[in-house]
Short mmCIF file of all heavy atoms in Angstrom, two decimals:
data_model
loop_
_atom_site.label_atom_id
_atom_site.label_comp_id
_atom_site.label_asym_id
_atom_site.label_seq_id
_atom_site.Cartn_x
_atom_site.Cartn_y
_atom_site.Cartn_z
N HIS A 86 -6.31 23.00 13.37
CA HIS A 86 -7.42 22.61 12.51
C HIS A 86 -7.34 23.21 11.10
O HIS A 86 -7.86 22.63 10.16
CB HIS A 86 -8.75 22.97 13.16
CG HIS A 86 -8.93 24.43 13.45
ND1 HIS A 86 -9.16 25.37 12.45
CD2 HIS A 86 -8.95 25.12 14.62
CE1 HIS A 86 -9.31 26.56 12.98
NE2 HIS A 86 -9.17 26.46 14.31
N ARG A 87 -6.72 24.36 10.93
CA ARG A 87 -6.54 25.00 9.63
C ARG A 87 -7.85 25.24 8.87
O ARG A 87 -7.88 25.18 7.63
CB ARG A 87 -5.55 24.21 8.76
CG ARG A 87 -4.19 24.06 9.40
CD ARG A 87 -3.08 23.79 8.43
NE ARG A 87 -1.80 23.70 9.12
CZ ARG A 87 -0.63 23.58 8.52
NH1 ARG A 87 -0.57 23.54 7.20
NH2 ARG A 87 0.49 23.51 9.21
N LEU A 88 -8.91 25.48 9.60
CA LEU A 88 -10.16 25.87 8.95
C LEU A 88 -10.07 27.32 8.51
O LEU A 88 -9.45 28.14 9.19
CB LEU A 88 -11.34 25.68 9.91
CG LEU A 88 -11.59 24.26 10.40
CD1 LEU A 88 -12.66 24.25 11.49
CD2 LEU A 88 -11.98 23.34 9.25
N ILE A 89 -10.68 27.65 7.39
CA ILE A 89 -10.66 29.02 6.88
C ILE A 89 -11.64 29.86 7.71
O ILE A 89 -12.84 29.59 7.72
CB ILE A 89 -11.05 29.05 5.40
CG1 ILE A 89 -10.07 28.18 4.59
CG2 ILE A 89 -11.04 30.48 4.86
CD1 ILE A 89 -10.48 27.98 3.14
N PRO A 90 -11.15 30.87 8.43
CA PRO A 90 -11.99 31.54 9.44
C PRO A 90 -13.17 32.32 8.88
O PRO A 90 -14.18 32.49 9.57
CB PRO A 90 -11.00 32.48 10.15
CG PRO A 90 -9.87 32.65 9.19
CD PRO A 90 -9.77 31.36 8.44
N TRP A 91 -13.09 32.80 7.63
CA TRP A 91 -14.19 33.60 7.09
C TRP A 91 -15.22 32.75 6.35
O TRP A 91 -16.16 33.28 5.77
CB TRP A 91 -13.65 34.68 6.15
CG TRP A 91 -12.80 34.17 5.03
CD1 TRP A 91 -13.21 33.72 3.82
CD2 TRP A 91 -11.37 34.08 5.03
NE1 TRP A 91 -12.14 33.34 3.05
CE2 TRP A 91 -10.99 33.56 3.78
CE3 TRP A 91 -10.37 34.38 5.98
CZ2 TRP A 91 -9.65 33.32 3.45
CZ3 TRP A 91 -9.05 34.15 5.64
CH2 TRP A 91 -8.71 33.62 4.39
N LEU A 92 -15.06 31.42 6.38
CA LEU A 92 -16.04 30.52 5.80
C LEU A 92 -16.77 29.76 6.91
O LEU A 92 -16.17 29.43 7.93
CB LEU A 92 -15.37 29.51 4.86
CG LEU A 92 -14.63 30.05 3.64
CD1 LEU A 92 -14.05 28.91 2.83
CD2 LEU A 92 -15.55 30.92 2.78
N THR A 93 -18.04 29.46 6.70
CA THR A 93 -18.77 28.62 7.65
C THR A 93 -18.23 27.20 7.58
O THR A 93 -17.47 26.84 6.66
CB THR A 93 -20.27 28.60 7.33
OG1 THR A 93 -20.46 27.98 6.04
CG2 THR A 93 -20.86 30.01 7.34
N ILE A 94 -18.63 26.37 8.53
CA ILE A 94 -18.21 24.97 8.51
C ILE A 94 -18.70 24.30 7.22
O ILE A 94 -17.96 23.54 6.60
CB ILE A 94 -18.77 24.23 9.74
CG1 ILE A 94 -18.23 24.88 11.03
CG2 ILE A 94 -18.38 22.76 9.68
CD1 ILE A 94 -16.73 25.05 11.09
N LYS A 95 -19.92 24.59 6.83
CA LYS A 95 -20.45 24.05 5.57
C LYS A 95 -19.56 24.44 4.40
O LYS A 95 -19.19 23.60 3.56
CB LYS A 95 -21.88 24.56 5.35
CG LYS A 95 -22.51 24.10 4.05
CD LYS A 95 -23.92 24.67 3.92
CE LYS A 95 -24.57 24.28 2.60
NZ LYS A 95 -25.94 24.83 2.48
N GLU A 96 -19.18 25.71 4.32
CA GLU A 96 -18.35 26.18 3.22
C GLU A 96 -16.94 25.58 3.29
O GLU A 96 -16.35 25.23 2.25
CB GLU A 96 -18.29 27.70 3.24
CG GLU A 96 -19.62 28.36 2.89
CD GLU A 96 -19.67 29.84 3.24
OE1 GLU A 96 -18.88 30.28 4.13
OE2 GLU A 96 -20.47 30.56 2.63
N ASN A 97 -16.40 25.45 4.50
CA ASN A 97 -15.09 24.83 4.67
C ASN A 97 -15.06 23.40 4.15
O ASN A 97 -14.07 22.97 3.55
CB ASN A 97 -14.69 24.84 6.15
CG ASN A 97 -13.83 26.03 6.53
OD1 ASN A 97 -12.63 26.06 6.28
ND2 ASN A 97 -14.46 27.03 7.16
N LEU A 98 -16.14 22.67 4.39
CA LEU A 98 -16.19 21.27 3.98
C LEU A 98 -16.55 21.11 2.51
O LEU A 98 -15.99 20.25 1.81
CB LEU A 98 -17.16 20.50 4.87
CG LEU A 98 -16.75 20.43 6.35
CD1 LEU A 98 -17.82 19.73 7.18
CD2 LEU A 98 -15.40 19.73 6.52
N LEU A 99 -17.46 21.95 2.02
CA LEU A 99 -17.83 21.85 0.61
C LEU A 99 -16.68 22.21 -0.32
O LEU A 99 -16.57 21.67 -1.42
CB LEU A 99 -19.03 22.76 0.32
CG LEU A 99 -20.39 22.25 0.77
CD1 LEU A 99 -21.46 23.30 0.52
CD2 LEU A 99 -20.76 20.95 0.04
N ILE A 100 -15.82 23.12 0.12
CA ILE A 100 -14.70 23.53 -0.73
C ILE A 100 -13.71 22.38 -0.95
O ILE A 100 -12.98 22.34 -1.95
CB ILE A 100 -14.00 24.77 -0.13
CG1 ILE A 100 -13.23 25.52 -1.22
CG2 ILE A 100 -13.07 24.40 1.01
CD1 ILE A 100 -12.69 26.86 -0.75
N ILE A 101 -13.71 21.41 -0.01
CA ILE A 101 -12.84 20.24 -0.12
C ILE A 101 -13.54 19.08 -0.81
O ILE A 101 -12.94 18.31 -1.55
CB ILE A 101 -12.37 19.81 1.29
CG1 ILE A 101 -11.54 20.91 1.95
CG2 ILE A 101 -11.57 18.50 1.23
CD1 ILE A 101 -10.25 21.23 1.22
N SER A 102 -14.83 18.96 -0.57
CA SER A 102 -15.59 17.80 -1.04
C SER A 102 -15.64 17.73 -2.56
O SER A 102 -15.97 18.71 -3.24
CB SER A 102 -17.01 17.85 -0.48
OG SER A 102 -17.81 16.83 -1.05
N LYS A 103 -15.35 16.55 -3.09
CA LYS A 103 -15.45 16.34 -4.54
C LYS A 103 -16.90 16.15 -4.97
O LYS A 103 -17.31 16.58 -6.03
CB LYS A 103 -14.61 15.13 -4.96
CG LYS A 103 -13.11 15.32 -4.77
CD LYS A 103 -12.34 14.06 -5.15
CE LYS A 103 -10.84 14.24 -4.95
NZ LYS A 103 -10.09 12.99 -5.27
N ASP A 104 -17.69 15.47 -4.14
CA ASP A 104 -19.08 15.17 -4.48
C ASP A 104 -20.04 16.30 -4.14
O ASP A 104 -21.17 16.32 -4.63
CB ASP A 104 -19.53 13.90 -3.75
CG ASP A 104 -18.75 12.67 -4.18
OD1 ASP A 104 -18.25 12.67 -5.32
OD2 ASP A 104 -18.66 11.73 -3.38
N LYS A 105 -19.61 17.22 -3.29
CA LYS A 105 -20.47 18.33 -2.84
C LYS A 105 -21.79 17.80 -2.26
O LYS A 105 -22.86 18.38 -2.44
CB LYS A 105 -20.78 19.29 -3.99
CG LYS A 105 -19.56 19.76 -4.78
CD LYS A 105 -18.55 20.48 -3.90
CE LYS A 105 -17.34 20.93 -4.72
NZ LYS A 105 -16.26 21.49 -3.88
N ASP A 106 -21.68 16.69 -1.54
CA ASP A 106 -22.86 16.01 -1.00
C ASP A 106 -23.09 16.45 0.45
O ASP A 106 -22.40 15.98 1.36
CB ASP A 106 -22.65 14.50 -1.08
CG ASP A 106 -23.88 13.71 -0.66
OD1 ASP A 106 -24.79 14.30 -0.06
OD2 ASP A 106 -23.91 12.49 -0.92
N ILE A 107 -24.04 17.33 0.65
CA ILE A 107 -24.28 17.86 1.99
C ILE A 107 -24.82 16.79 2.93
O ILE A 107 -24.59 16.83 4.14
CB ILE A 107 -25.24 19.08 1.93
CG1 ILE A 107 -25.18 19.86 3.25
CG2 ILE A 107 -26.64 18.65 1.59
CD1 ILE A 107 -23.84 20.49 3.53
N ASN A 108 -25.52 15.79 2.39
CA ASN A 108 -26.01 14.69 3.23
C ASN A 108 -24.86 13.86 3.78
O ASN A 108 -24.87 13.45 4.95
CB ASN A 108 -26.98 13.80 2.44
CG ASN A 108 -28.27 14.52 2.10
OD1 ASN A 108 -28.79 15.30 2.91
ND2 ASN A 108 -28.81 14.26 0.92
N GLN A 109 -23.86 13.61 2.93
CA GLN A 109 -22.68 12.88 3.40
C GLN A 109 -21.93 13.68 4.45
O GLN A 109 -21.45 13.13 5.45
CB GLN A 109 -21.75 12.58 2.22
CG GLN A 109 -20.51 11.79 2.64
CD GLN A 109 -19.33 11.99 1.70
OE1 GLN A 109 -19.16 13.08 1.14
NE2 GLN A 109 -18.52 10.97 1.56
N ILE A 110 -21.84 14.98 4.25
CA ILE A 110 -21.16 15.84 5.22
C ILE A 110 -21.88 15.78 6.56
O ILE A 110 -21.24 15.63 7.62
CB ILE A 110 -21.10 17.28 4.69
CG1 ILE A 110 -20.11 17.37 3.52
CG2 ILE A 110 -20.70 18.26 5.80
CD1 ILE A 110 -20.10 18.71 2.81
N ASN A 111 -23.19 15.86 6.54
CA ASN A 111 -23.96 15.77 7.78
C ASN A 111 -23.79 14.42 8.46
O ASN A 111 -23.69 14.34 9.68
CB ASN A 111 -25.45 16.02 7.49
CG ASN A 111 -25.85 17.46 7.74
OD1 ASN A 111 -25.40 18.08 8.69
ND2 ASN A 111 -26.70 17.98 6.87
N GLU A 112 -23.74 13.36 7.67
CA GLU A 112 -23.55 12.02 8.22
C GLU A 112 -22.22 11.91 8.95
O GLU A 112 -22.13 11.35 10.06
CB GLU A 112 -23.62 10.98 7.10
CG GLU A 112 -23.40 9.55 7.57
CD GLU A 112 -23.31 8.56 6.42
OE1 GLU A 112 -23.69 8.93 5.30
OE2 GLU A 112 -22.84 7.44 6.65
N LEU A 113 -21.17 12.45 8.33
CA LEU A 113 -19.84 12.39 8.95
C LEU A 113 -19.78 13.25 10.21
O LEU A 113 -19.19 12.85 11.22
CB LEU A 113 -18.77 12.84 7.96
CG LEU A 113 -18.49 11.89 6.79
CD1 LEU A 113 -17.50 12.50 5.81
CD2 LEU A 113 -17.98 10.54 7.29
N LEU A 114 -20.39 14.42 10.17
CA LEU A 114 -20.42 15.28 11.36
C LEU A 114 -21.13 14.60 12.51
O LEU A 114 -20.68 14.64 13.67
CB LEU A 114 -21.09 16.61 11.03
CG LEU A 114 -20.28 17.57 10.13
CD1 LEU A 114 -21.15 18.75 9.71
CD2 LEU A 114 -19.03 18.08 10.86
N LYS A 115 -22.25 13.95 12.22
CA LYS A 115 -23.00 13.25 13.28
C LYS A 115 -22.20 12.07 13.83
O LYS A 115 -22.29 11.74 15.01
CB LYS A 115 -24.35 12.77 12.74
CG LYS A 115 -25.33 13.90 12.48
CD LYS A 115 -26.64 13.39 11.88
CE LYS A 115 -27.58 14.55 11.62
NZ LYS A 115 -28.86 14.09 10.98
N LEU A 116 -21.40 11.45 12.95
CA LEU A 116 -20.59 10.31 13.37
C LEU A 116 -19.57 10.71 14.44
O LEU A 116 -19.18 9.89 15.28
CB LEU A 116 -19.88 9.71 12.16
CG LEU A 116 -19.36 8.27 12.28
CD1 LEU A 116 -20.51 7.30 12.52
CD2 LEU A 116 -18.62 7.89 11.01
N VAL A 117 -19.14 11.96 14.42
CA VAL A 117 -18.18 12.45 15.44
C VAL A 117 -18.88 13.35 16.47
O VAL A 117 -18.23 14.12 17.17
CB VAL A 117 -16.99 13.19 14.79
CG1 VAL A 117 -16.18 12.24 13.92
CG2 VAL A 117 -17.45 14.40 13.98
N GLY A 118 -20.20 13.24 16.54
CA GLY A 118 -20.94 13.92 17.60
C GLY A 118 -21.21 15.39 17.36
O GLY A 118 -21.44 16.14 18.32
N LEU A 119 -21.21 15.84 16.11
CA LEU A 119 -21.47 17.24 15.81
C LEU A 119 -22.78 17.38 15.05
O LEU A 119 -22.98 16.73 14.01
CB LEU A 119 -20.32 17.83 14.97
CG LEU A 119 -18.95 17.91 15.65
CD1 LEU A 119 -17.92 18.44 14.68
CD2 LEU A 119 -19.00 18.79 16.88
N ASN A 120 -23.66 18.22 15.56
CA ASN A 120 -24.94 18.46 14.93
C ASN A 120 -25.20 19.96 14.81
O ASN A 120 -24.78 20.74 15.67
CB ASN A 120 -26.08 17.83 15.74
CG ASN A 120 -25.97 16.32 15.81
OD1 ASN A 120 -26.11 15.63 14.81
ND2 ASN A 120 -25.71 15.80 17.00
N ASP A 121 -25.89 20.35 13.75
CA ASP A 121 -26.36 21.73 13.59
C ASP A 121 -25.24 22.77 13.69
O ASP A 121 -25.38 23.81 14.33
CB ASP A 121 -27.44 22.06 14.65
CG ASP A 121 -28.62 21.10 14.56
OD1 ASP A 121 -29.01 20.75 13.43
OD2 ASP A 121 -29.13 20.71 15.62
N ILE A 122 -24.10 22.48 13.03
CA ILE A 122 -23.00 23.45 13.05
C ILE A 122 -22.63 23.94 11.64
O ILE A 122 -21.66 24.68 11.49
CB ILE A 122 -21.74 22.88 13.73
CG1 ILE A 122 -21.17 21.71 12.90
CG2 ILE A 122 -22.00 22.45 15.16
CD1 ILE A 122 -19.73 21.41 13.22
N LEU A 123 -23.39 23.55 10.64
CA LEU A 123 -23.01 23.87 9.26
C LEU A 123 -22.90 25.38 9.02
O LEU A 123 -22.06 25.82 8.24
CB LEU A 123 -24.01 23.26 8.28
CG LEU A 123 -23.93 21.74 8.11
CD1 LEU A 123 -25.03 21.27 7.15
CD2 LEU A 123 -22.56 21.31 7.61
N ASP A 124 -23.75 26.14 9.68
CA ASP A 124 -23.75 27.59 9.45
C ASP A 124 -22.92 28.36 10.48
O ASP A 124 -22.95 29.59 10.53
CB ASP A 124 -25.19 28.11 9.46
CG ASP A 124 -26.01 27.54 8.31
OD1 ASP A 124 -25.44 27.39 7.21
OD2 ASP A 124 -27.19 27.22 8.52
#
Side-chain angles (χ1 to χ4, degrees):
H86 60 72
R87 301 202 179 186
L88 298 172
I89 301 171
W91 56 86
L92 298 181
T93 64
I94 300 308
K95 178 181 178 180
E96 292 166 337
N97 266 281
L98 296 176
L99 283 175
I100 202 171
I101 297 297
S102 173
K103 294 178 181 177
D104 296 334
K105 310 301 180 187
D106 186 345
I107 196 64
N108 292 323
Q109 181 205 33
I110 289 173
N111 264 321
E112 179 187 345
L113 290 175
L114 288 171
K115 289 177 181 178
L116 200 62
V117 296
L119 295 177
N120 297 293
D121 302 321
I122 66 160
L123 287 178
D124 296 322

